[in-house]
Amino acid sequence: MTPVLLCGGSGTRLWPLSRKSYPKQFSPLLGDTTLFQASAQRLAGDGYGAPLVLTNSDFRFIVTEQLSEVGIDPGAILIEPEGRNTAPAVLAAALYLHQSDPKALMLVAPSDHVVPDAAAFRAAVTAGEAAARDGQLVTFGIKPTHAETGYGYLELDGDAGDFSPRAIGLKRFVEKPDAATAEAMLAAGNFLWNAGIFLFSVDTIIAAFRAHAPDLMAPVQAAVDQGRPDLGFLRLDPDTWGGAEDISIDYAVMERADNLTVVPFAAGWSDLGGWDAVWRESDRDADGVVAQGAATAIECENSLLRSEDDGLEVVGIGLKNIITVAMPDAVLVADASRAQDVKLAVAALKAKKSTQATAFPKDHRPWGWFESLVIGERFQVKRIVVHPGAALSLQSHHHRSEHWIVVEGTAKVTVDDDVKLVSENQSVYIPLGAVHRMENPGKVPMVLIEVQTGSYLGEDDIIRYEDVYARS
């Protein structure tokens, strides 16, 4: 069985932690493991093959790095040129797998969900396996714990009974309801939350696309066939991929198919679709308070206080039903009942062209990451962290010079024809226009402080001459 992990979303409802440049699936929202890593671990072990991952170009090295950190060797990683929703992504995965085994089972799962009991989830997958091999499109429905209006629902053909994992007929998909409808469905007992997780054979889902979404077949097939290998990734062809309709698999296939089966799951699940969900899934004290990171709560109730910076202390006094999330460059304060409206803040920041709307404070690159510490009119100070064995591109700048001060580890520095090692407490000057490169030859992360000075300090002032990561 091949796990197919979808990890291209932006998760704006968890702003400011989740942003377009570094969305929630790559963050450790609960515990020390990221949601993406936990998803990959949940679908690993006996009976599961290497995961096939669909993501975009910006996240490709984050995917490989995070899988490596938890000891998982990925299978294929397909790079989507642009987001076209889940239907084209699932079809691309199926067409890719069809080349090697048309009868193989594929388990499609978002990479940003929380499932505390991984063993119970694998048991639910096993319960649906026979139906999938018999040509059914199997989905997994979550036993609702409250009248949620943020999820779609699945109406069962019969009674859910004790909600034990077994294959049951699925009557229909239900769109996100209003509050009254959600209460009625919760009381009825035969409605489940739609988790967006699917199990089917490769040939079954391709046949379903041919029957219900035939217009997707040609552009997605061409995008796979004309895909270009790139450092172990497969870049789907951008021209043909752009011709595929932007549509979810629910709309394209599931709501039209008649070979549907659902497996109930009652062992705990959340898509962490808002900070209220993070509060629910976290360990709360006797007053219902969650204080994470450098956060202190004094006489607060039913509130979430979270700091993502050890040097930024968040203190709440007398708060009730309040969400507070602090990042180095942005702070969110919201009533818990308005958690789903955080996306309005992102829209407002985009309208005023604020970088905080989409850009994460740490800029992750294939070689490591950097963050800006101080920005002035003609200077900028950065902290740069380079992974062991990694190297930045050989490059030059038109508008700025740079000073590098190594504070941890050792850097191998190239400046024009001069190559030397720079150790802790040593520095080097990069004149404007000099061709230069920084490498970490050691076995521990290398940290340096970079001071830029010049008339223009944008990240696009880079001329690359050579790059091990094949970036243009």
Side-chain angles (χ1 to χ4, degrees), residues 62-351:
I62 298 174
V63 164
T64 55
E65 179 184 327
Q66 292 204 353
L67 288 177
S68 176
E69 287 174 356
V70 293
I72 294 177
D73 187 18
I77 298 178
L78 306 187
I79 307 300
E80 299 177 79
E82 59 181 295
R84 307 303 290 167
N85 217 314
T86 54
V90 172
L91 179 56
L95 293 171
Y96 180 86
L97 293 172
H98 188 269
Q99 299 169 355
S100 57
D101 187 0
K103 300 295 183 183
L105 292 185
M106 51 188 291
L107 177 63
V108 178
S111 60
D112 56 359
H113 290 184
V114 172
V115 181
D117 192 337
F121 181 77
R122 288 192 287 267
V125 173
T126 300
E129 188 172 341
R133 294 194 184 280
D134 287 341
Q136 291 291 297
L137 302 174
V138 180
T139 185
F140 295 84
I142 310 301
K143 179 182 179 181
T145 57
H146 57 279
E148 176 62 57
T149 59
Y151 300 150
Y153 285 70
L154 306 170
E155 183 178 3
L156 304 179
D157 239 346
D159 195 320
D162 60 358
F163 290 91
S164 59
R166 64 199 188 282
I168 302 176
L170 176 58
K171 186 174 182 179
R172 67 184 177 113
F173 283 70
V174 181
E175 292 302 313
K176 295 176 182 178
D178 57 28
T181 304
E183 290 284 0
M185 289 192 293
L186 180 66
N190 65 326
F191 288 86
L192 307 176
W193 288 338
N194 179 10
I197 303 172
F198 304 98
L199 175 65
F200 31 63
S201 69
V202 169
D203 53 5
T204 296
I205 190 59
I206 292 176
F209 273 101
R210 286 199 181 104
H212 306 297
D215 291 345
L216 286 177
M217 290 299 302
V220 176
Q221 181 74 70
V224 174
D225 293 344
Q226 298 171 31
R228 178 170 58 87
D230 177 5
L231 297 177
F233 308 104
L234 178 66
R235 288 183 177 274
L236 301 174
D237 179 69
D239 294 333
T240 51
W241 182 258
E245 182 182 2
D246 185 331
I247 187 172
S248 72
I249 191 171
D250 285 0
Y251 284 131
V253 173
M254 297 300 168
E255 294 185 3
R256 305 174 185 180
D258 56 8
N259 55 331
L260 298 173
T261 296
V262 61
V263 175
F265 184 70
W269 168 91
S270 173
D271 73 341
L272 291 188
W275 285 113
D276 54 339
V278 175
W279 174 80
R280 282 196 298 269
E281 295 298 321
S282 301
D283 293 331
R284 302 184 292 276
D285 67 14
D287 296 315
V289 173
V290 176
Q292 297 172 326
T296 301
I298 300 172
E299 297 179 7
C300 296
E301 298 177 18
N302 300 326
S303 294
L304 170 66
L305 286 79
R306 182 181 181 120
S307 174
E308 294 295 325
D309 188 332
D310 290 340
L312 198 164
E313 186 75 27
V314 174
V315 179
I317 302 176
L319 303 180
K320 293 184 179 180
N321 304 314
I322 294 296
I323 292 167
T324 303
V325 181
M327 297 284 289
D329 64 338
V331 178
L332 168 71
V333 181
D335 189 281
S337 66
R338 302 292 300 276
Q340 295 300 310
D341 291 332
V342 171
K343 58 187 177 182
L344 300 179
V346 177
L349 292 175
K350 285 182 178 178

Side-chain angles (χ1 to χ4, degrees), residues 24-25 27 29 33-39 111-114 272:
K24 67 174 181 176
Q25 58 264 30
S27 297
L29 273 161
T33 305
T34 71
L35 300 180
F36 172 67
Q37 289 172 323
S39 297
S111 60
D112 56 359
H113 290 184
V114 172
L272 291 188

